[in-house]
Amino acid sequence: MRWLAVMVLVAVPASASADALPAGPFTENECRDCHIREGEEIVADWRAGAHGTAVPAVGCLACHDDRHPAAPRARRAKPCIACHGGRHGDVARSYLTSKHGVITTLETDRWDWSQPLAHGLYRAPTCAYCHNHAGGHGTAAGEDACFDCHSPRFVTTHFESGRRTLDIGGLKVREAEAAVAEATNAIGPEDAGRLSDKLGQMRERSLTGLRLGIAHQAPDYVWWLGQAALDGDLVRIKAAISALRRAATVGRSKRAETGAVRPAGRATGPDD
């Protein structure tokens, strides 16, 4: 595996050796104050990223714990999985079922996590390698991390394929949205609300699953929990619309028949 970029997840000042550092425990403020004195880049990167801007913020201790050495724990996938829905949540599961996740799971106990990720020559990236690429703490993953291990042609093709795959998923959602919008005037507000709920589930569950599958290179999430799930959502929404239209048509017919046919033997009164 070729690692071309230096990925050093540090929880200690670069100028200090691990042996010279106090063991801890430390508070969040103590971690930040020390790293600001050594150089503000890591703390500024964290503050601007998803963890720092979250409410409440996800601090140093969540990933690194409160003692030195702190970097090895953050290099593993375990603390990320614990926060992002657990092993059975879609975020973690889409990674764990990918080739990267399978290799990491099988070999994690054999790797020397005291080594910086770039120097350790791990066979597959953990969450930290891609989301904290090159030592960053902003958590945004991009193409740069992929180029460290894969050829430019592979990476370019993979991202182009991912964008096309996501576009196809978006078309399915837009088709469902258009169908619901067209049917809204023909059905009651309560039924329209139920259809809106189905649309929301389609976006939040199936389209999100597709995105996770593309990002984590997880085939099950791209197809069965992504594209196939979107197909099923679209079919069920259209079937529900057809059923509601039929029910509305039958209801109008019955009301018309009731108004046009009088019961036999009933006398016509002045109010008729």
Side-chain angles (χ1 to χ4, degrees):
M1 191 174 191
R2 293 179 294 124
W3 302 95
L4 303 180
V6 177
M7 171 60 176
V8 183
L9 271 178
V10 292
V12 299
S15 59
S17 69
D19 293 338
L21 292 168
F26 304 102
T27 65
E28 290 284 347
N29 288 336
E30 287 172 335
C31 294
R32 287 196 287 270
D33 291 346
C34 182
H35 283 281
I36 288 173
R37 287 195 299 271
E38 292 292 329
E40 295 187 12
E41 184 176 350
I42 288 178
V43 177
D45 196 21
W46 166 78
R47 282 177 172 157
H51 287 164
T53 56
V55 180
V58 180
C60 314
L61 304 187
C63 302
H64 294 281
D65 211 351
D66 62 353
R67 299 175 185 274
H68 289 143
R73 181 177 186 271
R75 291 175 184 136
R76 293 174 176 263
K78 187 175 180 179
C80 305
I81 290 171
C83 276
H84 290 275
R87 297 181 66 85
H88 299 293
D90 287 332
V91 173
R93 191 175 171 212
S94 60
Y95 165 74
L96 291 171
T97 56
S98 72
K99 288 185 178 180
H100 292 160
V102 169
I103 292 172
T104 301
T105 300
L106 292 174
E107 301 184 5
T108 188
D109 291 335
R110 301 202 299 267
W111 293 352
D112 181 4
W113 295 103
S114 68
Q115 297 296 315
L117 294 181
H119 299 169
L121 299 177
Y122 306 115
R123 287 214 311 129
T126 59
C127 314
Y129 188 86
C130 298
H131 289 276
N132 299 110
H133 187 249
H137 280 61
T139 72
E143 296 182 17
D144 289 347
C146 304
F147 284 117
D148 291 350
C149 303
H150 299 288
S151 70
R153 180 179 179 182
F154 175 89
V155 175
T156 301
T157 301
H158 172 71
F159 273 81
E160 288 177 354
S161 175
R163 282 187 282 268
R164 289 195 300 270
T165 300
L166 191 57
D167 286 343
I168 292 170
L171 285 173
K172 296 172 184 178
V173 173
R174 289 193 292 276
E175 185 176 347
E177 290 171 341
V180 170
E182 183 183 357
T184 297
N185 293 331
I187 60 179
E190 186 175 345
D191 290 327
R194 292 195 188 97
L195 290 176
S196 294
D197 290 342
K198 290 180 182 293
L199 265 178
Q201 292 172 6
M202 186 179 188
R203 297 188 197 100
E204 294 168 14
R205 182 189 58 196
S206 303
L207 190 61
T208 297
L210 178 61
R211 287 196 183 100
L212 289 170
I214 294 168
H216 289 154
Q217 301 183 47
D220 282 355
Y221 270 80
V222 171
W223 300 115
W224 305 119
L225 299 173
Q227 296 289 20
L230 287 167
D231 290 338
D233 292 335
L234 179 58
V235 168
R236 283 187 288 273
I237 287 172
K238 286 188 170 183
I241 290 172
S242 296
L244 290 169
R245 286 184 182 277
R246 286 195 299 272
T249 301
V250 170
R252 285 194 297 270
S253 298
K254 287 184 176 180
R255 287 193 295 273
E257 291 173 1
T258 301
V261 179
R262 299 179 184 280
R266 179 180 173 222
T268 302
D271 293 333
D272 291 335

